[in-house]
Amino acid sequence: MTPSSISQAAAPILTFAVPKGRILAEALPVMARAGLTPEPAFHDKAERALSFGTVEGATRIIRVRAFDVATFVAFGAAQAGIVGSDVIEEFAYSELYAPVDLGIGHCRLSVAEPREGYADRPGNASHYRVATKYPNLTSRWFERQGIQAECVKLNGAMELAPLLGLSGRIVDLVDTGRTLAENGLVETEVIMPVSARLIVNRAALKTDRRVAELVDRFRRDAERQGEGQAEDRAA
Ligand code: ATP
Ligand code: PRP
């Protein structure tokens, strides 16, 4: 046994966090190319376990809600994971480092309002009520424009808020724009473009060689995918 394999054997298994919802399908092939293939039970809908081994054996994969991916990694309970840049920016955890844009999970964070406009509060144009899952990004965005936004935190179905008079505007993710259109809303401003990133815990990156190796594998794959897409465009 070499000194490095001794320390490797003694180190606790690495934990990699993934969001359980819509990013997952796109993330799985990226993870597989980086040597993280979940064991078959991961794909079994009846399975109640939340933590899974990998075919490659060296890492455990946990499946949690998107916002919780950032929290597990920031606190070092998981050393790395995949999450949208919307979540990274909303938390702005200093312990998180997001070294690789994975080129998946593209959408945007936008302001939307009813198609026919909305009279917020007559005589008080500098005070908006906004329903959102992203209160930090939302207040920052409106603050920069000198508007005080009162954020009502919702966890989903934001589009209902203006329809039912809960708020004048919403800040939510938009991809095709279908959900907005079907609920009588229009996108008025784009706050930020969003894509999924590899995130790592900064301390783990400094102290655990395996985390740096993981970053390298994801980075090399993202570069290869980028080159492939450039060639496709040129053809
Ligand atoms: P939740 O906590 O809402 O249940 P989740 O754990 O199911 O979320 P996912 O659905 O896997 O999480 O991921 C949500 C992420 O998907 C968003 O943070 C965003 O980065 C990305 N995303 C990409 N396209 C869209 C879209 N059209 N709508 C919402 N999120 C999108
Ligand atoms: C997301 C987002 C919008 C919708 C945008 O919701 O919150 O509602 O997708 O996509 P579109 O522009 O292509 O219509 P999701 O389906 O993830 O459900 P949620 O409301 O539970 O977050």
Side-chain angles (χ1 to χ4, degrees), residues 35-36 101 115 126 133 141 146 153 166 180 200 203 220 223 233:
L36 297 175
D101 185 338
R115 206 175 283 131
S126 65
K133 204 170 167 180
W141 168 261
K153 172 87 161 63
L166 177 57
L180 290 183
V200 295
R220 279 199 302 272
E223 283 165 5
R233 278 195 299 274

Side-chain angles (χ1 to χ4, degrees), residues 22 133 155-159 172-179:
R22 66 161 75 215
K133 204 170 167 180
N155 294 305
M158 249 75 64
E159 294 81 3
D172 195 13
L173 297 171
V174 181
D175 180 15
T176 61
R178 239 187 92 192
T179 313

Side-chain angles (χ1 to χ4, degrees), residues 16 19 32 49 54 65 75 84 86 90 126 131 142 157 172 174 193-194:
F16 192 87
T54 50
R65 296 189 76 159
F75 283 81
D86 50 324
E90 172 66 14
S126 65
F142 284 107
D172 195 13
V174 181
V194 170

Side-chain angles (χ1 to χ4, degrees), residues 141-185:
W141 168 261
F142 284 107
E143 250 166 44
R144 279 203 296 270
Q145 298 168 50
I147 295 166
Q148 192 195 342
E150 177 192 352
C151 295
V152 181
K153 172 87 161 63
L154 292 180
N155 294 305
M158 249 75 64
E159 294 81 3
L160 285 173
L163 290 179
L164 300 177
L166 177 57
S167 69
R169 291 169 177 76
I170 65 168
V171 165
D172 195 13
L173 297 171
V174 181
D175 180 15
T176 61
R178 239 187 92 192
T179 313
L180 290 183
E182 288 187 10
N183 289 285
L185 302 173

Side-chain angles (χ1 to χ4, degrees), residues 1-231:
M1 222 182 221
T2 64
S4 74
S5 64
I6 292 168
S7 63
Q8 190 89 353
I13 192 162
L14 278 187
T15 301
F16 192 87
V18 293
K20 60 183 177 51
R22 66 161 75 215
I23 287 185
L24 191 57
E26 280 187 281
L28 285 171
V30 181
M31 288 162 56
R33 292 194 300 267
L36 297 175
T37 311
E39 61 178 316
F42 183 89
H43 304 287
D44 178 355
K45 295 250 182 308
E47 181 60 62
R48 301 304 299 155
L50 298 168
S51 169
F52 300 89
T54 50
V55 171
E56 297 83 0
T59 310
R60 155 172 64 203
I61 296 180
I62 59 166
R63 191 166 55 190
V64 296
R65 296 189 76 159
F67 277 63
D68 297 340
V69 167
T71 304
F72 273 92
V73 177
F75 283 81
Q79 289 70 46
I82 291 178
V83 77
S85 51
D86 50 324
V87 176
I88 299 171
E89 297 291 325
E90 172 66 14
F91 279 124
Y93 281 126
S94 58
E95 300 84 353
L96 283 188
Y97 176 49
V100 187
D101 185 338
L102 301 174
I104 57 171
H106 289 286
C107 56
R108 54 196 185 272
L109 184 71
S110 294
V111 184
E113 64 181 37
R115 206 175 283 131
E116 63 278 11
Y118 184 88
D120 271 278
R121 286 186 187 179
N124 190 1
S126 65
H127 185 110
Y128 289 178
R129 189 186 287 161
V130 186
T132 185
K133 204 170 167 180
Y134 303 88
N136 295 327
L137 286 170
T138 300
S139 354
R140 259 184 265 149
W141 168 261
F142 284 107
E143 250 166 44
R144 279 203 296 270
Q145 298 168 50
I147 295 166
Q148 192 195 342
E150 177 192 352
C151 295
V152 181
K153 172 87 161 63
L154 292 180
N155 294 305
M158 249 75 64
E159 294 81 3
L160 285 173
L163 290 179
L164 300 177
L166 177 57
S167 69
R169 291 169 177 76
I170 65 168
V171 165
D172 195 13
L173 297 171
V174 181
D175 180 15
T176 61
R178 239 187 92 192
T179 313
L180 290 183
E182 288 187 10
N183 289 285
L185 302 173
V186 286
E187 190 176 3
T188 52
E189 288 153 305
V190 176
I191 296 181
M192 61 181 277
V194 170
S195 59
R197 311 289 161 103
L198 173 72
I199 53 169
V200 295
N201 176 279
R202 282 186 193 277
L205 179 63
K206 280 194 202 127
T207 56
D208 193 328
R209 185 171 54 84
R210 296 171 302 170
V211 178
E213 285 166 3
L214 196 64
V215 171
D216 276 347
R217 294 207 296 275
F218 275 97
R219 185 176 278 139
R220 279 199 302 272
D221 179 64
E223 283 165 5
R224 272 197 300 270
Q225 297 300 313
E227 284 159 17
Q229 281 161 10
E231 278 164 23

